[in-house]
Amino acid sequence: PLPRWWLILFWLTIVFGVGYLVLYPGMGNYAGTLGWSSSGEHAADDRKFQDQYGALYAGYASTPVEVLAKDERAMQIGARLFANNCAACHGTDAHGGRGFPNLTDKDWLWGGTPEAIHSSILNGRNGVMPGWKDALGAQGVDEVVAYTLSLSGRSGLDAKQVAAGQGRFMMCAGCHGADGTGNPMLGAPNLTDNIWLHGGSVASLTKTVMEGRNNQMPAQVDILGPERVHLLTAYVLSLSEKEKR
């Protein structure tokens, strides 16, 4: 025979299980007598959040980004928003990493105005660099890479490759401009400033030119909403302003 204490616990677990399935959803479409659901709990938490912070965010939303970027309390909230939603890619210090832009400098792929930053966060961005392996061939790729590196003042390059690459670079000028300074309308980077999103070594640039690059910044409108995006825009703008000072 089983010990009595064990038997009592066994029956108690059965009673608990039956009671739980009566009160909470656990059997197909049966909703439970309490009417509880995870989505309902999330909605209740969201309503509580809006009651507590809605007016605060609404006040910030009506404040211009440039003014908000100088508001210490607002920037503390912005820092928390950044840590929870942006730091995984751009780093806790916002200095980015390979394939993820540094947000503390003045180099912007899509423009560094408050409007451009706001659009990047709200709607996301899709950056596409096509591969040129088939169009240029291996030798042509090497020449374009040499010329591209020369635009940022790199030394020790093969002069003949640089000269040949200058002519081939016209295939790239449609996006990066004839002078290589880029085009924020297309998200085409400036190639003359020695700031490289995917690395500035010969090997990494060769891979970029040969195979192309595809980058995506996910839209945050559905996650954060317009008001918090407005505050986050001010925080990101403040990061580059600090670096400037």
Side-chain angles (χ1 to χ4, degrees):
L2 295 171
R4 185 174 297 277
W5 66 267
W6 193 97
L7 195 60
I8 292 172
L9 286 177
F10 173 71
W11 285 109
L12 285 175
T13 57
I14 293 176
V15 171
F16 174 83
V18 172
Y20 186 93
L21 292 175
V22 170
L23 297 172
Y24 294 95
M27 296 183 292
N29 293 326
Y30 177 67
T33 58
L34 295 181
W36 180 92
S37 68
S38 57
S39 59
E41 185 171 358
H42 178 271
D45 287 343
D46 187 60
R47 287 192 297 271
K48 182 179 179 181
F49 174 85
Q50 292 301 330
D51 291 341
Q52 187 173 357
Y53 297 106
L56 178 66
Y57 281 115
Y60 287 146
S62 62
T63 305
V65 168
E66 297 88 344
V67 176
L68 205 57
K70 299 175 183 178
D71 186 321
E72 184 176 352
R73 184 188 180 197
M75 292 302 92
Q76 289 176 349
I77 300 174
R80 294 184 180 92
L81 288 173
F82 185 89
N84 290 332
N85 298 278
C86 313
C89 293
H90 294 284
T92 55
D93 58 0
H95 280 77
R98 184 68 64 90
F100 301 101
N102 179 357
L103 303 179
T104 66
D105 58 19
K106 303 299 291 184
D107 185 77
W108 300 94
L109 288 174
W110 300 91
T113 64
E115 295 77 16
I117 297 172
H118 182 268
S119 181
S120 294
I121 299 173
L122 190 73
N123 303 313
R125 299 289 188 181
N126 287 292
V128 179
M129 158 75 181
W132 293 96
K133 177 175 59 177
D134 296 333
L136 292 173
Q139 180 178 341
V141 168
D142 290 342
E143 292 169 351
V144 168
V145 168
Y147 177 71
T148 301
L149 288 171
S150 74
L151 292 175
S152 58
R154 190 72 61 89
S155 60
L157 301 171
D158 187 309
K160 291 183 178 179
Q161 283 191 331
V162 172
Q166 185 174 9
R168 293 183 182 274
F169 187 80
M170 289 300 102
M171 301 176 67
C172 315
C175 292
H176 294 283
D179 57 358
T181 54
N183 185 348
M185 295 295 293
L186 302 174
N190 180 358
L191 304 178
T192 68
D193 58 7
N194 206 28
I195 297 175
W196 306 98
L197 184 61
H198 295 280
S201 66
V202 172
S204 62
L205 280 177
T206 299
K207 179 178 176 64
T208 297
V209 177
M210 288 187 68
E211 302 176 7
R213 300 284 186 180
N214 289 279
N215 271 29
Q216 182 181 36
M217 158 70 186
Q220 300 295 314
V221 60
D222 294 332
I223 300 172
L224 296 174
E227 293 177 345
R228 277 179 280 183
V229 167
H230 181 79
L231 183 55
L232 192 53
T233 299
Y235 177 73
V236 173
L237 183 66
S238 75
L239 294 173
S240 60
E241 291 299 321
K242 289 178 181 178
E243 188 75 8
K244 182 179 179 181
R245 291 194 295 269

